[in-house]
Amino acid sequence: MAPNDPKQSGGFFASIASSISNFGSAMTKSVNGLMGYEGLEVVNPEGGTEDAEEEARRGRWKQEDRDSYWKMMQKYIGSDVTSMVTLPVLIFEPMSMLQKMAELMEYSYLLDLADECEDPYMRLVYTTSWAISVYYAYQRTWKPFNPILGETYEMVNHGGITFIAEQVSHHPPMSAGHAENEHFIYDISSKVKTKFLGNSIDIYPLGRTRVTLKRDGTVFDLVPPPTKVNNLIFGRTWVDSPGEMIMTNLTTGDKA
């Protein structure tokens, strides 16, 4: 039954339409304010797009924190974040980059197998598998703290390994690490270049990683792929490494 007062009817439906319009404008303003630059889309790690709104609500940031952080960070779009003075502690995990470097030793028994192996191609398989193994840690999407200049981290007797790392440069941040057991010697100089894209950050490795097998002195060189941290501010954060990882046997010239 139609209402008797057309003004009342118009006012009722107009208020609904106005509310929907205001809500839509607010959502558009909020989303477009963050998505107005390259790299600011909300991405579903599983590949779907139907739940992008739900993904947006699962971010680590509260709305007021996100807006405040965005106002502070938008001027850094396209820049190397290693040049920034401060970053909010909310994005950090309670460990340093030196400790993070040591995680590559978790499956170091693969290097032991490579040293014991006679087949040069299986050696390449074992060393490459060892290099890939560190990506299990990428399920943790938090950033480690930057060590202070001269800070060291030592891990002793992990499967017979002694590992030590030191922060050798503060700006730009650079770390050096060394590990050794009866089968191999591992050396790394860790340096990265970054590009901040607003809701994501690209990380390009510039350091050098070398593994020497002790039995016959075979040397392997590792070039890791770039890494991309997605949904840094807006949405559920996840990490991907697009591109190639290249492991080269410098003694034979073989590559994987």
Side-chain angles (χ1 to χ4, degrees):
M1 184 175 181
N4 294 329
D5 186 352
K7 292 183 180 180
Q8 183 179 357
S9 173
F12 174 73
F13 288 107
S15 64
I16 294 179
S18 176
S19 299
I20 294 175
S21 175
N22 291 338
F23 176 77
S25 298
M27 287 298 294
T28 301
K29 181 178 179 182
S30 175
V31 174
N32 287 347
L34 288 172
M35 297 174 64
Y37 298 86
E38 178 186 0
L40 290 185
E41 72 278 7
V42 176
V43 181
N44 177 6
E46 279 67 49
T49 56
E50 66 282 349
D51 59 347
E53 184 177 348
E54 176 63 24
E55 287 292 320
R57 289 198 293 266
R58 294 176 65 179
R60 65 182 60 165
W61 303 88
K62 296 179 180 178
Q63 178 66 46
E64 58 271 21
D65 294 334
R66 189 165 62 229
D67 291 345
S68 174
Y69 182 64
W70 175 245
K71 289 178 182 178
M72 178 182 69
M73 298 296 290
Q74 60 184 343
K75 61 182 177 181
Y76 293 113
I77 295 288
S79 65
D80 187 340
V81 296
T82 58
S83 65
M84 295 181 183
V85 178
T86 58
L87 290 171
V89 73
L90 182 61
I91 69 172
F92 288 84
E93 62 177 328
M95 66 186 301
S96 76
M97 182 59 73
L98 300 179
Q99 292 171 280
K100 190 85 167 181
M101 290 169 59
E103 291 188 345
L104 193 51
M105 294 294 106
E106 178 70 17
Y107 297 98
S108 59
Y109 74 90
L110 292 167
L111 296 180
D112 297 345
L113 294 175
D115 185 52
E116 296 168 349
C117 185
E118 297 286 347
D119 186 334
Y121 299 113
M122 282 307 299
R123 281 185 154 192
L124 194 56
V125 169
Y126 284 130
T127 54
T128 305
S129 300
W130 161 79
I132 292 173
S133 69
V134 72
Y135 289 95
Y136 80 91
Y138 275 23
Q139 61 188 312
R140 306 196 320 269
T141 58
W142 312 97
K143 180 189 180 302
F145 283 91
N146 289 338
I148 61 174
L149 181 62
E151 180 179 338
T152 61
Y153 173 76
E154 186 175 10
M155 180 177 66
V156 179
N157 199 27
H158 171 73
I161 297 170
T162 297
F163 173 90
I164 187 168
E166 179 180 351
Q167 189 73 359
V168 296
S169 173
H170 177 67
H171 188 75
M174 289 182 61
S175 308
H178 175 86
E180 188 170 350
N181 70 359
E182 60 180 344
H183 290 288
F184 68 86
I185 299 171
Y186 162 80
D187 290 292
I188 181 174
S189 57
S190 177
K191 178 183 178 183
V192 298
K193 180 179 180 181
T194 61
K195 186 176 182 181
F196 179 66
L197 298 174
N199 200 37
S200 64
I201 182 171
D202 290 342
I203 304 170
Y204 305 95
L206 303 177
R208 190 188 76 172
T209 302
R210 292 278 172 88
V211 174
T212 303
L213 302 182
K214 286 189 172 182
R215 185 163 63 89
D216 59 3
T218 300
V219 179
F220 291 89
D221 177 79
L222 173 65
V223 178
T227 296
K228 188 179 185 70
V229 183
N230 301 276
N231 297 347
L232 187 63
I233 305 172
F234 193 68
R236 179 157 58 91
T237 305
W238 60 286
V239 182
D240 192 19
S241 290
E244 290 186 330
M245 168 189 283
I246 302 174
M247 178 69 78
T248 304
N249 185 330
L250 297 180
T251 304
T252 65
D254 297 324
K255 293 184 178 181

